[in-house]
Amino acid sequence: QLPSSRELEALRLDHAVGLELRELLETHPGVETASVRVQLKSEKTPAVAAIVVARPGSTIEEQGLTDLLRRAVPSVDPARI
């Protein structure tokens, strides 16, 4: 069965938000590259998961990246990052 138009729109939005958050994470001076997954369709509060690769010789604190994402997406429950 094909997804409904509503499900397709939710997937498109998830992808677009993920790309924006990846670009945001990659502005961090210690981040070489990032991959982000956002789930918006099943709940009102989005969940964000990210994999981040540090620049050689850099140290990245998880809290700093979490704070960066929270500022960008205030609707994200801190427990869901």
Side-chain angles (χ1 to χ4, degrees):
Q1 178 181 6
L2 294 174
S4 70
S5 61
R6 185 171 226 170
E7 290 170 325
L8 288 173
E9 180 62 20
L11 289 171
R12 187 197 63 74
L13 182 59
D14 289 355
H15 182 71
V17 170
L19 289 175
E20 289 177 19
L21 293 178
R22 185 193 79 204
E23 290 174 1
L24 175 68
L25 286 171
E26 289 176 347
T27 66
H28 187 284
V31 173
E32 179 74 26
T33 189
S35 179
V36 177
R37 171 119 169 104
V38 179
Q39 276 192 303
L40 298 172
K41 67 179 184 174
S42 63
E43 300 183 29
K44 290 183 180 181
T45 304
V48 178
I51 297 172
V52 177
V53 176
R55 290 188 189 282
S58 294
T59 302
I60 302 172
E61 296 293 326
E62 181 181 350
Q63 187 63 48
L65 296 177
T66 301
D67 291 345
L68 185 65
L69 289 174
R70 269 195 214 128
R71 284 192 301 273
V73 188
S75 63
V76 174
D77 178 353
R80 296 184 57 82
I81 295 178

